[in-house]
Amino acid sequence: MKYQNPIVKGFNPDPSVCRVGEDYYLVTSSFEYFPGIPVYHSRDLVNWEQIGNCIQDIEDFPFQNVADSGGVWAPTIRYENGTFYVTATFDAYGNFMVHTENPGGTWSKPVWVKAGGIDPSLYFENGKTYYCTNQSLHPGQEEISLYEIDLESGEVIAEGKAIWNGTGGGHLEAPHIYHIGEWYYLLAAEGGTFFNHMATAARSRSLWGPYESCPDNPILTNIHDTSKAVLCAGHGDLFCDHRGNWWMVHLAVRLSRRTMTHLGRETFLTPISWENGWPKAGSGKKAALECEGPLWAEQKACSVWKADFNRAQWEPEWIFLRSPQRDRYRRGKGYLELYPSPVHFPDGKNPVFAAIRQPDFGCGLETAFSFEPCEIGDEAGLAVVLSSQFYYRFVKKRTGEGDFLVLEKNAEDMYQRACEISVSSGRLCLKIQADKEFYHFSYSTDGETYFEAAKASTRFLACEVSGRCFTGTVMGLYAASEQETGAVMRVCLFESRR
């Protein structure tokens, strides 16, 4: 059956998956956004729904000082004896584990693991817990190292052992261990997270090695894909479905302009076959946008997502930068209220910004709200954000000359105000219509007739333009001020289409 990649679109890198019966659970990296580590569920591998987030209590994690593309990296999800476990790295603080019996519910407080390296993974066998990272135990060498740990305390029980040095591709990371038949298999990533990215494999008769490299490494890479439809494929996780078929979930990127993408790294699914006792990914070891595999359900068409402001509880899709100020948001009885803050994106802190991941290249976002500025500099509306220096704001703003609808573009030290339209009091409806090359911004005062205000290139929100960027664009509601103000943004509609 044919299906389309990515299976989880938008900013969703470093996927890991586990199966429980006929249910599949997938997690991805979230970096500086809270709540952290989204959890997705599927029963057919190609239609996924976000059901929760692993990091739910801001008090348990030091998000307040996280840099762009810092925070939570490379989670692994595993299931053992009725409990789900997720482990990941919190940049500059170390590795941790959380657990739950209900992945769509509440997760435990973190247990910090006393093992170094990044991109940790768990492996369970005979009542013991093993922890695998890219910790180098020998200076100057790239290594994958294995430890036995205490699952309750995170303490290392015995001295770790280096079990594999990779293939020499550089940036050895993202290890996972599997026991399949008579072999222990090790899957890792090499080549860095951009165009040279790849998945490599090794195997051993013993958990502790020695591990021999697959003679056909890398088993997945798009380095030599001249079509350039998919790039950066790597960082994967192997699994067997309930029908006995093997697959890999992994990250890769789709391109919007030449070799650029603003969505960031997304989650792909690639079929796995076995040849001479080694995993073989896809056709020609490449990730593809259109694949064929032994699926049992059709991939559903695009969808509409709408926030329900009658509920006080946030839907799991919402994300916030770093440590959100809870008292700046109130929702219920059909509305979401945002109270502007004098914290702005370039501050690298926690602006009043409630967002969702941009769901696809072609998508739409719509909101309806009221906002009466009190002071010069009060503003509220929509924002599209890649990082603290690269973002677009489409907002109602008070200036010294009055209240205007403005589109302000920021790309590091470049700034442009693309429109300045006088607006009066009352409800304002804003839309963003996106395609691969542009964001189109429009507005309405009656909710029916819309007028185009301006457009902005996706180029200046591309990860490759911003530099060291591991995230992707997010879109959402934004309210800010130059000083504390009595103005309130009152939102009655927030809807995303793809």
Side-chain angles (χ1 to χ4, degrees):
M1 185 180 296
K2 293 187 184 301
Y3 66 95
Q4 298 292 319
N5 270 317
I7 55 167
V8 186
K9 296 180 178 181
F11 157 44
N12 278 285
D14 309 329
S16 176
V17 69
C18 74
R19 175 175 69 88
V20 181
E22 298 185 13
D23 291 283
Y24 299 83
Y25 300 91
L26 184 145
V27 293
T28 61
S29 293
S30 49
F31 292 91
E32 65 263 39
Y33 289 95
F34 175 86
I37 311 181
V39 183
Y40 298 93
H41 171 259
S42 177
R43 290 182 63 85
D44 57 26
L45 303 185
V46 288
N47 299 292
W48 294 85
E49 176 188 7
Q50 187 175 351
I51 59 172
N53 296 277
C54 295
I55 297 176
Q56 302 167 333
D57 191 342
I58 197 65
E59 308 302 328
D60 291 335
F61 292 88
F63 271 97
Q64 61 273 14
N65 296 317
V66 166
D68 290 349
S69 290
V72 182
W73 294 353
T76 295
I77 185 169
R78 295 293 183 258
Y79 180 78
E80 180 73 4
N81 294 329
T83 300
F84 293 87
Y85 296 89
V86 167
T87 185
T89 298
F90 198 99
D91 182 33
Y93 290 89
N95 299 319
F96 66 91
M97 298 183 295
V98 291
H99 66 271
T100 186
E101 294 181 0
N102 173 18
T106 301
W107 289 73
S108 71
K109 288 185 174 295
V111 172
W112 295 91
V113 182
K114 311 304 189 295
I118 62 169
D119 297 7
S121 184
L122 286 163
Y123 175 73
F124 298 98
E125 184 174 88
N126 298 328
K128 295 183 178 182
T129 303
Y130 299 93
Y131 206 71
C132 194
T133 77
N134 75 340
Q135 171 77 21
S136 175
L137 300 180
H138 301 90
Q141 296 188 34
E142 287 200 310
E143 296 174 327
I144 298 300
S145 296
L146 185 66
Y147 305 82
E148 184 184 349
I149 66 166
D150 183 281
L151 190 59
E152 299 297 323
S153 68
E155 296 288 340
V156 173
I157 292 175
E159 184 178 351
K161 180 181 178 181
I163 60 174
W164 194 47
N165 296 100
T167 67
H171 302 282
L172 181 63
E173 57 191 9
H176 295 301
I177 290 177
Y178 318 89
H179 194 186
I180 304 169
E182 298 179 355
W183 294 95
Y184 290 90
Y185 288 87
L186 175 60
L187 183 70
E190 296 187 62
T193 59
F194 294 102
F195 300 141
N196 292 327
H197 206 33
M198 63 184 79
T200 55
R203 70 182 184 184
S204 172
R205 297 285 187 183
S206 165
L207 173 63
W208 292 98
Y211 282 79
E212 60 172 314
S213 295
C214 174
D216 198 27
N217 270 326
I219 66 168
L220 174 73
T221 185
N222 283 62
I223 292 175
H224 305 299
D225 183 0
T226 57
S227 74
K228 306 301 182 188
V230 178
L231 289 177
C232 310
H235 195 127
D237 197 4
L238 295 171
F239 68 99
C240 183
D241 69 27
H242 63 280
R243 296 185 171 196
N245 306 301
W246 283 88
W247 305 84
M248 183 195 297
V249 290
H250 59 89
L251 66 79
V253 304
R254 295 178 292 160
L255 302 180
S256 56
R257 288 172 173 261
R258 296 184 181 176
T259 57
M260 294 185 290
T261 180
H262 51 284
L263 293 188
R265 300 167 299 161
E266 305 175 282
T267 292
F268 281 58
L269 177 71
T270 296
I272 294 292
S273 58
W274 292 86
E275 189 173 291
N276 299 322
W278 292 102
K280 182 179 178 181
S283 175
K285 302 195 291 185
K286 299 176 185 176
L289 294 180
E290 183 175 273
C291 292
E292 187 162 353
L295 297 172
W296 53 93
E298 294 283 348
Q299 203 167 21
K300 295 178 182 177
C302 300
S303 60
V304 176
W305 182 86
K306 185 176 181 179
D308 181 4
F309 295 137
N310 289 304
R311 300 172 62 237
Q313 183 178 4
W314 294 90
E315 292 87 355
E317 291 85 352
W318 289 100
I319 51 176
F320 307 84
L321 276 166
R322 301 175 181 88
S323 303
Q325 304 173 68
R326 292 190 181 94
D327 59 354
R328 299 280 181 175
Y329 307 89
R330 295 179 187 173
R331 58 177 287 171
K333 299 182 180 179
Y335 294 96
L336 167 63
E337 292 181 337
L338 279 70
Y339 294 81
S341 163
V343 178
H344 302 84
F345 292 121
D347 299 331
K349 299 296 183 181
N350 50 356
V352 177
F353 179 51
I356 59 172
R357 293 165 175 83
Q358 183 173 339
D360 207 346
F361 287 128
C363 67
L365 187 67
E366 181 178 358
T367 188
F369 67 97
S370 62
F371 178 68
E372 306 306 328
C374 296
E375 309 288 343
I376 292 176
D378 288 358
E379 61 180 83
L382 294 174
V384 185
V385 177
L386 179 69
S387 69
S388 62
Q389 300 296 323
F390 293 82
Y391 56 91
Y392 298 149
R393 301 184 341 272
F394 188 41
V395 295
K396 179 179 180 180
K397 184 173 185 175
R398 174 156 293 181
T399 72
E401 289 73 41
D403 295 344
F404 294 90
L405 179 63
V406 299
L407 172 62
E408 297 188 339
K409 308 177 187 179
N410 294 80
E412 203 166 54
D413 61 347
M414 294 190 297
Y415 166 81
Q416 180 188 39
R417 179 173 288 183
C419 71
E420 192 172 60
I421 302 166
S422 179
V423 288
S424 58
S425 61
R427 192 175 74 159
L428 185 62
C429 302
L430 302 182
K431 278 186 179 180
I432 302 175
Q433 191 65 43
D435 56 42
K436 281 190 174 183
E437 297 189 344
F438 290 98
Y439 295 102
H440 301 268
F441 299 87
S442 59
Y443 70 99
S444 173
T445 55
D446 61 10
E448 296 181 2
T449 305
Y450 277 82
F451 303 93
E452 185 168 345
K455 68 178 183 179
S457 172
T458 60
R459 177 192 307 273
F460 301 106
L461 298 188
C463 301
E464 294 74 19
V465 171
S466 68
R468 183 181 180 271
C469 181
F470 298 143
T471 59
T473 44
V474 302
M475 316 168 77
L477 302 163
Y478 176 66
S481 59
E482 295 301 324
Q483 56 188 332
E484 292 295 346
T485 178
V488 179
M489 180 187 192
R490 197 176 198 214
V491 184
C492 60
L493 172 71
F494 185 82
E495 182 176 287
S496 169
R497 294 177 179 269
R498 63 175 181 179

